[in-house]
Amino acid sequence: MSLIFYFSPMSTATLTSIVLEELGVPHDRKRVDLKAGDNKKPEYTKLNPNGKVPLIIHDGTPIWESAAITMYLGEQFGVAKGLWPAAGPRRGEAMKWVVWTNVTLGEAVYRRGHFGEWAAPDAGNPKGVAQANKDIAELLGILDGALAGKQFLLGEYTLADAHANSFCDWLRHSKIDFSAFANVNAWSERCAARPGYQRAMSFEMG
Ligand SMILES: N[C@@H](CCC(=O)N[C@@H](CS)C(=O)NCC(=O)O)C(=O)O
């Protein structure tokens, strides 16, 4: 078995790093220097034409998009380890949170960025940022409601928690206000206490 993980610290690849450390699957880590533009060089874009991280190559097949990678690794390695549900409705639940994170929550977060901190000088749209902040708060309210009375999204910990929580880490880093979401904050602490999460974080720092 060969598994290669292309990453950059403090990026979307961090989601995948946590998933891999939770699974404990042997893999080779290859750091991609985004500032040097290594992700836009032909040797990289032939593997991921989007020129982005994360990317995994499993037994010669490139797989990109963090949501797809989490679900794929869960299916391949997570079921036997109790970190991903077997095929069936519970797997559907795990998948819905992974996709919701990237697509639904992600849309509002990227919109906030494009109207705000990533906009060119004088090209920002404060009303757009305000609306995005409102939408993000509504979505985090959905996550908070789903965690009421539960330790993790499906009850027991799964890779859906690793994925969604790592995304929330990024949102906190982006100064999104989490003060109203007590269930999310307590869940994030539980996720962060896990050895797999801590191993992945030590790679981020190193
Ligand atoms: N939808 C993609 C997003 C990946 C993404 O945006 N990666 C960023 C790092 S956070 C990247 O590689 N950016 C480099 C670039 O666009 O030049 C996923 O979830 O994997």
Side-chain angles (χ1 to χ4, degrees):
M1 199 277 287
S2 144
L3 184 60
I4 307 169
F5 171 40
Y6 290 84
F7 75 100
S8 175
M10 309 299 279
S11 76
T12 313
T14 304
L15 279 70
T16 303
S17 182
I18 297 168
V19 165
L20 283 166
E21 291 307 320
E22 284 287 352
L23 288 168
V25 185
H27 59 279
D28 291 332
R29 297 173 66 90
K30 288 198 193 290
R31 188 175 177 147
V32 181
D33 188 340
L34 300 180
K35 284 207 180 95
D38 287 353
N39 52 317
K40 303 294 179 196
K41 292 186 176 152
E43 55 267 36
Y44 189 80
T45 56
K46 78 174 184 239
L47 300 170
N48 181 358
N50 302 286
K52 293 186 189 296
V53 290
L55 161 69
I56 61 165
I57 315 276
H58 185 207
D59 289 339
T61 300
I63 300 162
W64 30 261
E65 284 297 334
S66 59
I69 294 171
T70 295
M71 295 189 284
Y72 177 75
L73 291 173
E75 180 190 294
Q76 291 288 308
F77 307 107
V79 180
K81 298 188 179 204
L83 291 170
W84 192 248
R90 272 178 65 75
R91 176 175 294 182
E93 284 193 284
M95 292 166 74
K96 87 182 170 190
W97 284 115
V98 172
V99 174
W100 178 87
T101 298
N102 284 42
V103 176
T104 305
L105 182 57
E107 185 280 324
V109 172
Y110 289 119
R111 178 156 41 88
R112 174 183 185 266
H114 287 301
F115 283 148
E117 59 185 307
W118 307 332
D122 301 328
N125 174 348
K127 275 193 187 156
V129 172
Q131 183 61 50
N133 279 331
K134 199 163 159 279
D135 294 344
I136 292 165
E138 211 167 286
L139 293 165
L140 290 176
I142 291 173
L143 183 61
D144 203 68
L147 286 163
K150 276 197 247 160
Q151 294 287 299
F152 296 106
L153 287 166
L154 272 68
E156 299 291 308
Y157 181 86
T158 70
L159 299 179
D161 297 291
H163 189 100
N165 178 58
S166 179
F167 201 85
C168 287
D169 281 349
W170 176 49
L171 304 196
R172 288 189 184 91
H173 186 74
S174 307
K175 306 273 184 292
I176 287 173
D177 182 10
F178 273 68
S179 56
F181 308 112
N183 296 330
V184 175
N185 292 332
W187 163 76
S188 288
E189 281 181 23
R190 287 190 287 277
C191 292
R194 294 179 60 88
Y197 177 96
Q198 290 175 8
R199 268 194 308 278
M201 287 307 126
S202 69
F203 285 125
E204 296 292 307
M205 310 302 166

